[in-house]
Amino acid sequence: MHRGSLVTALASWLDARAHGGVWIVRMEDLDEPRCVPGAADNILDTLTRLGLHSDEPIVWQSRRHALYEQALASLTTNGRVYPCGCTRREIADSLTRVHARHSTLAYPGTCRDGLHGKTARAWRLRVPDGDAAHMHFEDRWMGSHTQDLATEVGDFVLKRADGQWAYQLAVVVDDRLQGITDIVRGADLLDSTARQIYLQACLGAPTPRYLHVPLVMADDGEKLSKQNGAAPLSLDTPDAVLAALKEAASHLGLPAALADVSHRNDFYAAATLAWQAQHAR
């Protein structure tokens, strides 16, 4: 975990506590090529040092392939999913030609009416056209948002060419099965929300409330992440833990008075009240 992931963890924990809910840790470890051995255990150890404990047993997405397969089969039976034989290069070439016509940069629907002799590589969810493609939602932090799935996204992948499950499908299936009512996450995932809301409707799942918190940025102006060398949290002492929590709280716009708290438990009590005052709805 780095400073950015701490901000998201703290925000979601505070939101659960402020609303009398439960806080759930889920390991989204589906992208096997990018999973570093020992990283998940390190994350759990860091959460323990911070005093953030999951209120329910931890769910590991890497152990839930059968559930995602069932969801894909259901969508396929209902005619919502189709196989796609396009390579990345072919899609890029199609988008270049579309761009030349000053039209959409969304997936152009090449395989919507069949593979035309190609081999199936991925599976895509068919999005609606026209007004039905307009997905509107209210974000509890970012406000009102609308995305046109047809023109801004196009039919999106649920199962990749390498056999890996797409993030969009996995989280929607898990949110439904875990009874998630509120999702608190980083603003980099705001763009995924409309797709997930549409997929929820396709699967007959309820739509949770969403709150996307501002990202922590690196010195170069990019999102702080492991990919750009974000330093892991150093939490060797209680003072270091408290300092990290106070910095995260400051990023979330919580009162400056939290800086005067001298104990972790006191910090959480005061921060929960502050969050409740600012995000009670």
Side-chain angles (χ1 to χ4, degrees), residues 40-145:
D41 291 335
N42 181 271
I43 290 171
L44 294 176
D45 178 68
T46 301
L47 289 174
T48 298
R49 289 172 180 267
L50 290 163
L52 301 175
H53 304 280
S54 182
D55 295 319
E56 294 186 1
I58 296 170
V59 164
W60 300 74
Q61 287 188 331
S62 58
R63 304 171 188 174
R64 297 166 70 83
H65 292 273
L67 296 172
Y68 309 139
E69 194 69 63
Q70 290 172 12
L72 183 69
S74 174
L75 292 166
T76 303
T77 299
N78 293 330
R80 295 184 180 276
V81 171
Y82 64 87
C84 176
C86 297
T87 65
R88 289 186 178 184
R89 180 61 178 269
E90 289 170 337
I91 294 173
D93 289 345
S94 295
L95 295 182
T96 299
R97 292 194 296 272
V98 169
H99 183 61
R101 298 197 302 270
H102 305 288
S103 186
T104 175
L105 291 181
Y107 174 71
T110 307
C111 297
R112 260 195 169 200
D113 59 349
L115 290 169
H116 305 293
K118 296 179 181 179
T119 300
R121 294 171 50 82
W123 293 85
R124 292 183 180 273
L125 182 70
R126 189 187 303 270
V127 303
D129 297 313
D131 291 342
H134 296 169
M135 295 291 114
H136 177 80
F137 64 95
E138 291 290 331
D139 186 80
R140 292 172 52 212
W141 189 300
M142 299 293 179
S144 179
H145 281 266

Side-chain angles (χ1 to χ4, degrees), residues 113-235:
D113 59 349
L115 290 169
H116 305 293
K118 296 179 181 179
T119 300
R121 294 171 50 82
W123 293 85
R124 292 183 180 273
L125 182 70
R126 189 187 303 270
V127 303
D129 297 313
D131 291 342
H134 296 169
M135 295 291 114
H136 177 80
F137 64 95
E138 291 290 331
D139 186 80
R140 292 172 52 212
W141 189 300
M142 299 293 179
S144 179
H145 281 266
T146 300
Q147 187 177 64
D148 187 327
L149 291 179
T151 62
E152 297 180 56
V153 178
D155 302 335
F156 55 94
V157 171
L158 299 184
K159 192 173 187 180
R160 297 177 353 199
D162 60 3
Q164 300 289 328
W165 296 104
Y167 166 78
Q168 313 295 357
L169 177 68
V171 297
V172 166
V173 169
D174 289 337
D175 289 343
R176 177 182 63 174
L177 294 177
Q178 291 186 276
I180 300 298
T181 61
D182 289 79
I183 294 171
V184 179
R185 59 191 183 187
D188 53 326
L189 291 170
L190 186 66
D191 185 63
S192 291
T193 305
R195 276 172 280 178
Q196 291 169 16
I197 291 174
Y198 177 64
L199 186 49
Q200 289 156 7
C202 293
L203 289 170
T207 294
R209 301 193 307 167
Y210 290 91
L211 188 153
H212 291 83
V213 300
L215 299 177
V216 177
M217 311 304 289
D219 292 338
D220 61 1
E222 295 295 321
K223 168 197 169 186
L224 192 67
S225 68
K226 294 182 290 294
Q227 283 72 31
N228 63 12
L233 293 170
S234 178
L235 305 174

Side-chain angles (χ1 to χ4, degrees), residues 2-4 6-7 10 216-217 224 233-235 239-254 258-259 267:
H2 51 75
R3 289 186 295 124
L6 172 56
V7 164
L10 178 61
V216 177
M217 311 304 289
L224 192 67
L233 293 170
S234 178
L235 305 174
D239 285 345
V241 169
L242 193 55
L245 289 171
K246 289 178 178 179
E247 182 180 8
S250 176
H251 180 81
L252 290 167
L254 295 179
L258 288 172
F267 167 85

